Amino acid sequence: MTTLGAVYLPYLPPERLRSVAQAADEAGLEELWLWEDCFLEGGIATMSAALAWTERLRVGMGLLPVPLRNVALAAMEVATLDRLFPGRALVGIGHGVQDWMGQVGARAESPVTLLREYGTALRALLGGDRVTTKGRYVSLDGVALDWPPNTRPPLFVGAVGPRSLRLAGEIADGTLLTGGTSPDEVRRAKALVDEGRARRGEGAGDPHPIVVSIHAATGPDAAARLEAERVKWGYESIAERSVTGTPQQMADAIAAWAEAGATTVVLQPTPDDPDLESFIRFIAQEVRPLVP
């Protein structure tokens, strides 16, 4: 069964989040995903608020840039969220945009090495282990959480390039694909993730969710708003990177991403959506029942 979610874009002010999160919760949407883009909204703050304002909604963070946080601090934050809201916090980590990392003096010479060391240590800490490691970027000396999760939550890794996609399959419990990924690109990404999973050995046969965000718009001006997204992101075509139309048309289109290997499809509204709460209700109440 395909999970359906939506994105709350950080281009919107933080004070809008409460109304949108509660609309998603009340409408029965499965997941609401947040971004931590520099220099907009903090991921942990927005995630904890959205979880506190809702009852059943799963809230995802896609993603926390690893150069910005010490891994022990990230483990403390994720463990706290999981204990406060068991099973509802979905956390992704990744390289972050390298230009932004450079702006704050945190750019790593080898982002893949950093992500490997960081992700490996973070999973171990969240699993309740006492961790000692001295890598190129991550150093821990007998560190263990006093309040680890009762059950280790899944750790997602965001990836775009082949090396990072293989690494996601090797060290993570799930993979986040960048917004606007086409079905063909999902298929290629999944093959690389599976190569990484094959290296993993123990646990390689466990489920490995693939989460993809795709552009979405409804209403009479949907085509114009999606065209603006095409121009903004530099796509040759928006057709295989978006969904629009009637609920049935949107559900039929979403099936293409599911068939390509996505287990969760997250609909990304345009930043200028005129009524985001109504968009959320439309997705949850009219599109969701038509998605297998």
Side-chain angles (χ1 to χ4, degrees):
M1 181 175 178
T2 306
T3 298
L4 196 62
V7 176
Y8 180 85
L9 295 169
Y11 313 122
L12 302 173
E15 56 267 27
R16 281 290 311 278
L17 177 58
R18 182 172 190 162
S19 174
V20 173
Q22 290 178 336
D25 199 44
E26 292 163 5
L29 190 69
E30 293 157 277
E31 296 178 1
L32 182 68
W33 283 80
L34 311 174
W35 296 356
E36 185 176 72
D37 274 7
C38 296
F39 300 93
L40 296 166
E41 294 163 4
I44 298 300
T46 52
M47 197 173 185
S48 59
L51 287 163
W53 288 327
T54 57
E55 297 293 332
R56 47 153 299 280
L57 182 71
R58 294 191 298 273
V59 179
M61 174 46 58
L63 45 75
L64 300 176
V66 298
L68 293 181
R69 284 180 183 79
N70 181 280
V71 69
L73 177 60
M76 292 161 58
E77 299 278 26
V78 175
T80 299
L81 284 175
D82 188 75
R83 290 184 71 111
L84 289 171
F85 310 102
R88 293 177 55 211
L90 307 174
V91 176
I93 61 172
H95 302 306
V97 176
Q98 295 306 295
D99 286 347
W100 291 337
M101 299 304 100
Q103 277 185 272
V104 298
R107 187 167 186 163
E109 186 178 355
S110 177
V112 173
T113 300
L114 169 57
L115 188 57
R116 175 183 292 279
E117 293 179 0
Y118 196 105
T120 300
L122 183 55
R123 287 183 86 247
L125 290 168
L126 293 175
D129 296 346
R130 183 171 298 278
V131 180
T132 295
T133 184
K134 187 167 181 60
R136 181 174 177 182
Y137 296 104
V138 175
S139 294
L140 299 171
D141 183 8
V143 176
L145 298 175
D146 286 319
W147 295 104
N150 292 314
T151 301
R152 185 182 64 78
L155 180 64
F156 292 81
V157 163
V160 176
R163 292 179 64 201
S164 297
L165 286 164
R166 292 188 187 98
L167 180 62
E170 189 175 349
I171 69 169
D173 303 296
T175 299
L176 305 178
L177 302 181
T178 189
T181 301
S182 71
D184 282 345
E185 290 167 344
V186 169
R187 201 170 283 109
R188 290 192 290 269
K190 184 178 184 302
L192 291 164
V193 169
D194 287 344
E195 288 180 22
R197 295 184 71 199
R199 301 175 184 172
R200 187 167 175 173
E202 184 179 354
D206 295 340
H208 187 100
I210 302 286
V211 180
V212 62
S213 297
I214 56 176
H215 301 282
T218 62
D221 62 346
R225 289 189 286 117
L226 286 174
E227 171 61 14
E229 290 292 273
R230 184 197 68 77
V231 173
K232 174 183 176 180
W233 296 102
Y235 304 138
E236 289 187 7
S237 170
I238 196 70
E240 292 204 345
R241 303 180 188 277
S242 67
V243 296
T244 189
T246 67
Q248 189 63 64
Q249 288 171 326
M250 294 180 77
D252 291 345
I254 287 166
W257 278 270
E259 290 167 4
T263 57
T264 297
V265 176
V266 183
L267 301 186
Q268 179 178 318
T270 62
D272 58 348
D273 190 286
D275 187 345
L276 188 53
E277 290 82 357
S278 292
F279 173 85
I280 293 287
R281 295 186 189 99
F282 175 80
I283 297 307
Q285 297 173 344
E286 298 189 47
V287 179
R288 166 69 271 181
L290 302 176
V291 175

